[in-house]
């Protein structure tokens, strides 16, 4: 069996058992709901006592980051800068895309299965022994935060970078009482059903991570949000400092490791947080950090080496390069003719940023030469196993032979989100750049929300699945496309929207599974070998993770 076959890597049964155990903690209860006092947030302090982590946590030198957009990228930049500067780092982020261990990184690497299991069962067994009806087992994310504290204290990291999971005030990571420095990335509308319907309410939740005497940094925010952040900071007697976006000239010809113009905002915040951390921990000697004139070599290298899956990530489908047909003869597929552009954007603001990035990179004509852009694989070719040809459903493959490139959208989002807010920024931003999708594909997620994904891939031909939400998304998309076409007649040369009626484009389909959608894309690419197929995957980090699992296995 080849390395690319699904069965080549046998799952660790002990690891699978741990994932199943963790899954038992997943609950549908609303988090951070002010009506129930943050779902009994104070229980976090009792859990920490049960695990004897009070003193160890107090010794951690923590950087705490909240925000709507860019908090994960900011944390990734911070970790990379400080690791490149010679520090022993711990990074806790969420969500994970493929493996839960991605959430716990020590010195830039996800923790090993062996260590994960040791720390997991240590925490689990002690909590099971000491919890009861009055103090039940912690819920899923709270347990993961507790596990992160155990890992980072046991590994004796020099710095622990904590990304807030949701909100701030009642987030599990906010059990930290004395971080070294706090940061708030860009704010926008997300999780409004939990955090509030105005930017002011959302900012108030995020500002909940501010602590008396602890420096706080943010980026330029809308006035409504900035006023609330400043008010909260003032009440704690701290000044809120604004970190300016990084000037590209400060990189000395290098490029940020994370793609997108918006990353210069996150990089600027990361630099400010690192500088403050170095100053307050007495480590600043030898680092001349003046963002207005120059950056230390370690900072520049850290920014350039930063890596994060599922954010502005480009992955060519190696399946078309290496797949052999049934009689083991190589196919004639050309390298790079099916390329996935992945970004887990799931708010109107981040969707717009994602669309700008997608349009820019496809217009630049990125070349890959059949290599995966992912340091995990070190640029080597990998074999990706194909899916069953005996599909339960069949979709006609249009003729794209008249095109040099064809753009597709692969989309899903959570049902709590409004497609009428998410889809227009995507359609309009792409239209402004002259990019129009030939087809939008709507799919359900592969991963279950009530179970932590294992190494094993779900079935390619799942049983009956409820597609009502995907059909809702499709109707919203079709309506927006019809409206755009009707408004401009599809022919208005002065309009940003240009559609020729004789083109087989702007269609949509709902697929019952992600593997079926990817199979359709691969079949289309094979039947149109002269066309470069460019697929934007967005709307959900869960979807992005599912796609990565499928195309990299």
């Amino acid at each position: 069996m080849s390395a690319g076959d699904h069965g080549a890597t046998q799952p660790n049964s002990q690891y699978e058992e741990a994932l199943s155990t963790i899954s038992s903690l997943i609950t549908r209860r609303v988090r951070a709901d002010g009506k129930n006092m943050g779902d009994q947030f104070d229980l976090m302090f009792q859990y920490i006592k049960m695990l004897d982590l009070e003193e160890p946590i107090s010794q951690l030198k923590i950087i705490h980051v909240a925000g709507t957009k860019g908090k994960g990228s900011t944390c990734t930049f911070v970790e990379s800068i400080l690791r490149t500067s010679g520090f022993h780092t711990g990074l806790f982020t969420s969500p994970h895309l493929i493996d839960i261990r991605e959430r716990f990184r020590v010195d830039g690497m996800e923790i090993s299965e062996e260590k994960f299991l040791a720390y997991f069962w240590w925490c689990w067994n002690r909590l099971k022994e000491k919890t009861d009806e009055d103090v039940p087992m912690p819920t899923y994310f709270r347990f993961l935060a507790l596990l992160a504290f155990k890992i980072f204290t046991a590994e004796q990291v020099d710095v622990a970078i904590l990304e807030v999971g949701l909100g701030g005030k009642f987030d599990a990571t906010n059990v930290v009482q004395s971080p070294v420095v706090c940061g708030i990335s860009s704010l926008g509308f997300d999780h409004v059903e939990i955090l509030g319907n105005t930017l002011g309410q959302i900012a108030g939740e995020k500002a909940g991570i501010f602590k008396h005497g602890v420096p706080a940094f943010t980026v330029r925010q809308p006035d409504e949000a900035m006023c609330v952040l400043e008010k909260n900071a003032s009440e704690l007697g701290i000044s809120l400092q604004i970190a300016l976006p990084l000037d590209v000239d400060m990189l000395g010809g290098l490029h940020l490791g994370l793609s997108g113009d918006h990353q210069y905002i996150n990089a600027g915040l990361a630099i400010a947080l690192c500088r403050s951390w170095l100053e307050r921990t007495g480590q600043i000697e030898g680092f001349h950090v003046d963002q207005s004139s120059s950056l230390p070599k370690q900072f520049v290298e850290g920014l350039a080496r930063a890596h994060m899956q599922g954010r502005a990530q480009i992955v060519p489908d190696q399946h078309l390069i290496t797949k052999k047909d049934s009689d083991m003869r190589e196919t004639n597929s050309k390298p790079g003719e099916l390329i996935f552009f992945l970004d887990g954007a799931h708010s109107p603001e981040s969707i717009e940023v994602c669309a700008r990035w997608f349009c820019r990179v496809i217009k630049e004509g990125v070349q890959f030469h059949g290599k995966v852009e992912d340091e995990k694989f070190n640029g080597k070719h990998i074999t990706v196993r194909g899916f069953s040809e005996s599909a339960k459903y069949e979709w006609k493959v249009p003729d794209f032979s008249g095109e040099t490139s064809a753009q597709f959208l692969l989309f899903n989002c959570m049902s709590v989100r409004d497609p009428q807010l998410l889809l227009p920024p995507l359609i309009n931003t792409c239209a402004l750049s002259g990019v129009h999708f030939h087809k939008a594909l709507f799919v359900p997620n592969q991963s279950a929300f009530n179970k932590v994904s294992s190494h094993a891939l779900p079935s390619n031909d799942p049983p009956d699945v409820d597609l009502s939400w995907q059909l809702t998304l499709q109707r919203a998309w079709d309506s927006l496309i019809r409206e755009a076409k009707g408004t401009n007649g599809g022919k208005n040369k002065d309009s940003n929207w240009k559609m020729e009626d004789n083109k087989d484009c702007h269609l949509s389909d709902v697929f019952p599974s992600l593997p079926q959608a990817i199979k359709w894309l691969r079949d289309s690419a094979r039947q149109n070998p002269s066309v470069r197929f460019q697929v934007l995957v967005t709307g959900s980090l869960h979807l992005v993770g599912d796609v990565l699992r499928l195309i990299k296995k």
Side-chain angles (χ1 to χ4, degrees), residues 3-6 9 11 98-99 319 377 382-387 454-457 522 546-553:
D5 289 338
H6 287 199
T9 302
I98 301 175
D99 192 305
H319 176 89
F377 294 96
I382 58 173
T383 301
V384 185
R385 186 173 188 266
F387 298 103
S454 68
H455 291 304
L457 286 173
R522 286 171 170 166
D546 291 340
V547 171
L548 285 171
R549 291 175 68 215
L550 289 169
I551 66 178
K552 288 189 175 185
K553 280 287 185 181

Side-chain angles (χ1 to χ4, degrees), residues 52-66:
D52 296 319
L53 288 176
E54 290 176 294
E55 178 62 22
I57 289 175
S58 71
Q59 299 302 312
L60 283 176
K61 297 178 174 62
I62 292 170
I63 297 175
H64 201 188
V65 182

Side-chain angles (χ1 to χ4, degrees), residues 22-42:
I22 293 173
S23 297
S24 69
L25 299 178
I26 297 176
T27 175
R28 293 280 185 177
R29 287 186 299 169
V30 174
R31 299 165 293 177
D33 187 340
K35 294 179 181 178
N36 59 16
M37 297 183 63
D39 197 13
Q40 296 183 302
F41 171 74
D42 287 346

Side-chain angles (χ1 to χ4, degrees), residues 20 84 96 99 114 141 147 177 212 220-221 226 232 238 246 267 298 308 338 341 348 354 424 458 476 489 491 510:
S20 178
T84 304
H96 64 274
D99 192 305
E114 182 181 7
F141 185 77
L147 180 56
Q177 298 300 292
H212 179 74
R220 288 169 176 158
Q221 306 281 7
M226 185 61 76
N232 279 264
I238 59 176
L246 173 65
Q298 300 95 319
M308 193 177 191
L338 175 57
F341 298 77
C354 167
K491 301 177 182 179
V510 170

Side-chain angles (χ1 to χ4, degrees), residues 180-193:
V180 175
V181 61
C182 296
I184 305 287
S185 65
S186 299
L187 297 180
F189 291 98
D190 196 18
H191 299 293
V192 294
E193 76 283 1

